Amino acid sequence: MRPETSLAAIAFFALAAASCEPTAPAPDPVPASIVAVTGEVAAVPEYRKPVVVRVLDEDGRGLPDAQVQFEPAGEGHGNVNGGPLAVASTDGAGSAEAVWTLPSTPGDYELRATVTESDVFQPEMPTGLTVTVPAVVESFSPALDAMLLGLGDRIERALQRMQETLRLNPTLEAEHRARIALLKRPDLDSEIVAGRRFLEHPAPSIEREAIPVVTVFPSEEMRHGATRIGSTIEAALPVLEGFLDAPFPAEQIRVWYGFELGSSGGGGTINMEDEGGYAAREGPLPYDAIVYHEMAHSYIGNESLTQLLELIVYNVLRTGSTDLETWPYTRDYPGLQDSNEDLYALMDIHGLIGHDAVARGYRAVLPLPTPYGQPLCEACVQAFVDEAPAEWKAAVEAKARRVTF
Ligand SMILES: [Zn+2]
């Protein structure tokens, strides 16, 4: 056999093998079922709940490009994507989503999701495939309802933040992954409402009877810590309000407890890492001090001014003393030194002019701009200089100018 013949035979064989593939196109898979990914919804009135369903083929695989019509079960069952009904196509995994805005009155409601067609060329084909998502809408109190209305957004932002900070904190990877897994539960918002993972109690406040402290937490095992943080805030509020001679600058104190690692505060809101998680990773500051710090940020953005408020609340609550020399918790203050800056420069001022003069300085600063991350404004510097006796004015001014953030 000549070599060419042999090659031709091989080529023919390859062609024959290829032709074993079916020549007719496979029939498109058709929708065989629709299932709800979203479980029973538990929410406050007017909550916006993303509802996810999946369309499956007869082998149980997600079916892309199927049309799903979402429709509240009747008049008064809310709206979907802002209207009476909405149609969405399934994605590559067979999932389709619409946002159900729940009604404004408590009650039991339903949203229907129906597969309307499987193929744009056969728009008339009815499938009869429907799934119903039930919802229980409850109202608790004005403060709680307002906070729980933002639950979905809070979970979403916490998830984004944890995904961002995971990249910056490789040593805390396990902690981040656990938090991300919790936040990704599709029904976490409903679990929180149905499980009553929230607390409200009034804290005595100056110039008004009380201010509601509302705490929401994502996991049942955080209940004890969430209860404790309410008492922590209640004890701190009179010290903070008294020192600043100003009521807490919000209608309520909102605490999102345990949604994130790390803490932040401002505008009446406190985002606190849960105490158990903080202790487990051996956070550097006393936990309660961070609570006071984040409370103080509702009054003041400047970080150094806020840190001194944190020290004042912490130490005055525990010792009753306004003398900085006696305080057990000072963030490692080295004592009066020319080189001191930021918090330590403010502590130098406290040492020079005393607690009451510093308090009057803060009260004058409160209406002034104190943005985070910036030096004290000219009027802020002057507020402390004004409270200093003549012999310390120059020193206080120099110290106040050493506050850089
Ligand atoms: Zn801060």
Side-chain angles (χ1 to χ4, degrees):
M1 204 184 276
R2 290 185 318 190
E4 300 90 284
T5 315
S6 163
L7 280 173
I10 292 165
F12 175 78
F13 180 78
L15 201 67
S19 71
C20 287
E21 297 292 320
T23 48
D28 280 342
V30 295
S33 61
I34 180 169
V35 294
V37 176
T38 302
E40 181 173 89
V41 178
V44 292
E46 298 179 16
Y47 184 71
R48 289 163 48 82
K49 173 66 181 176
V51 171
V52 179
V53 297
R54 278 189 85 207
V55 177
L56 308 174
D57 66 17
E58 58 186 9
D59 295 323
R61 288 174 303 211
L63 189 69
D65 302 321
Q67 304 291 306
V68 177
Q69 178 175 301
F70 294 88
E71 190 176 12
E75 190 75 15
H77 285 243
N79 66 57
V80 60
N81 288 3
L85 61 85
V87 176
S89 298
T90 56
D91 63 13
S95 296
E97 180 177 328
V99 176
W100 184 13
T101 302
L102 293 156
S104 55
T105 44
D108 294 343
Y109 301 100
E110 286 181 344
L111 180 74
R112 272 198 297 268
T114 305
V115 184
T116 57
E117 60 197 44
S118 63
D119 186 325
V120 288
F121 301 109
Q122 294 174 285
E124 303 304 319
M125 190 178 88
T127 64
L129 300 175
T130 293
V131 67
T132 300
V133 176
V136 178
V137 173
E138 292 178 276
S139 179
F140 302 98
S141 76
L144 256 172
D145 287 1
M147 189 154 169
L148 292 173
L149 204 53
L151 185 54
D153 289 341
R154 189 68 199 81
I155 293 170
E156 190 60 39
R157 271 187 293 125
L159 182 58
Q160 282 173 11
R161 236 182 76 83
M162 287 303 90
Q163 283 163 339
E164 285 164 19
T165 58
L166 168 62
R167 289 192 287 275
L168 305 171
N169 295 278
T171 56
L172 293 174
E173 180 173 350
E175 291 86 343
H176 275 88
R177 295 220 179 275
R179 206 58 55 119
I180 287 168
L182 172 66
L183 295 166
K184 274 192 169 171
R185 295 172 67 92
D187 291 321
L188 179 61
D189 49 0
S190 294
E191 290 171 26
I192 288 169
V193 174
R196 304 291 191 261
R197 292 176 195 158
F198 46 74
L199 301 158
E200 176 179 355
H201 73 274
S205 169
I206 59 173
E207 291 181 28
R208 58 190 159 185
E209 270 188 15
I211 179 168
V213 180
V214 192
T215 305
V216 180
F217 49 98
S219 157
E220 186 54 38
E221 64 196 24
M222 296 175 184
R223 184 174 294 276
H224 175 75
T227 307
R228 206 184 80 77
I229 201 173
S231 323
T232 304
I233 289 170
E234 190 179 346
L237 194 61
V239 179
L240 190 57
E241 289 187 333
F243 180 77
L244 296 170
D245 192 29
F248 190 79
E251 293 298 308
Q252 53 186 271
I253 302 180
R254 300 176 174 208
V255 186
W256 297 104
Y257 179 80
F259 285 81
E260 295 179 8
L261 302 177
S263 300
S264 60
T269 297
I270 300 171
N271 299 301
M272 278 305 295
E273 179 170 357
D274 54 295
E275 189 168 8
Y278 183 76
R281 66 181 177 88
E282 297 177 343
L285 305 177
Y287 184 80
D288 287 358
I290 304 171
V291 178
Y292 310 147
H293 181 105
E294 304 309 348
M295 288 173 76
H297 264 313
S298 284
Y299 288 95
I300 280 174
N302 181 274
E303 182 66 6
S304 303
L305 287 173
T306 303
Q307 287 177 356
L308 182 55
L309 285 175
E310 159 203 324
L311 296 191
I312 288 167
V313 174
Y314 189 95
N315 290 294
V316 170
L317 258 181
R318 279 161 184 76
T319 67
S321 169
T322 57
D323 179 2
L324 193 147
E325 298 273 314
T326 69
W327 288 352
Y329 169 58
T330 63
R331 279 187 179 246
D332 301 323
Y333 176 56
L336 182 70
Q337 289 184 10
D338 284 347
S339 58
N340 281 347
E341 52 189 23
D342 301 322
L343 170 65
Y344 293 167
L346 290 175
M347 293 173 79
D348 288 348
I349 293 175
H350 191 286
L352 290 172
I353 68 175
H355 191 77
D356 293 341
V358 168
R360 290 193 298 273
Y362 266 88
R363 291 165 195 176
V365 163
L366 276 189
L368 302 171
T370 55
Y372 180 88
Q374 292 184 27
L376 295 181
C377 69
E378 281 305 307
C380 299
V381 170
Q382 194 58 43
F384 290 104
V385 173
D386 287 347
E387 296 304 328
E391 71 265 38
W392 294 121
K393 282 191 189 297
V396 167
E397 180 174 352
K399 294 284 179 193
R401 291 198 189 287
R402 295 190 71 110
V403 176
T404 60
F405 80 111

